Amino acid sequence: MPRKSAINRGTAKFQKLYLRILNTVKAQFPNAPDEVIAEHAAQAVYKYATALGLYEGEWRGFKAFMASKNLLKSYRNEMGPLRSAVIHLVRLRMTGADDEQLRNAIESLSFDLEIKKLLKEYFGVQ
């Protein structure tokens, strides 16, 4: 069994992020109470973790969608850039992008037409 599990590494990353945000806020607002600064830092880490979970969930959903269409093995070599594209589209959707903006973002990607068609179908863009 490995000495450091994935959970421990993730916990350390979030603690490091929390401390970085805490120190940044303390430097910007030196007169603010410590409880308020700690609360804001904790909320920021929570929002970051929630976003990471959403991105990972959408990526896994898209991979399952590709597998259901029997295209997962065909595009195995493009999974890295495809994951980045899916996360980019999710971020666009989170910021309130409409269907036209999502369609334009998908069309600007440099993937095969079949992948673009899958992305449009997955994100509900005609």
Side-chain angles (χ1 to χ4, degrees), residues 63 66 71-82:
K63 263 179 64 176
M66 279 184 76
L71 293 173
L72 197 57
K73 293 180 183 175
S74 305
Y75 293 99
R76 192 105 180 134
N77 58 335
E78 295 182 10
M79 283 300 169
L82 192 55

Side-chain angles (χ1 to χ4, degrees), residues 69 71 74-75 111-119:
K69 302 285 185 176
L71 293 173
S74 305
Y75 293 99
F111 291 115
D112 293 345
L113 290 176
E114 194 169 12
I115 292 285
K116 289 181 183 181
K117 181 181 169 191
L118 268 176
L119 285 168

Side-chain angles (χ1 to χ4, degrees), residues 14 40 55 70 77 94 110 124:
F14 283 122
H40 283 291
Y55 299 151
N70 294 326
N77 58 335
M94 280 178 58
S110 60

Side-chain angles (χ1 to χ4, degrees), residues 48 51-52 54-55 58 84-97 102 123:
Y48 177 75
L52 279 181
L54 175 67
Y55 299 151
E58 288 285 347
S84 297
V86 168
I87 289 173
H88 173 69
L89 293 170
V90 171
R91 282 183 182 157
L92 281 176
R93 194 168 58 186
M94 280 178 58
T95 57
L102 284 174
F123 285 100

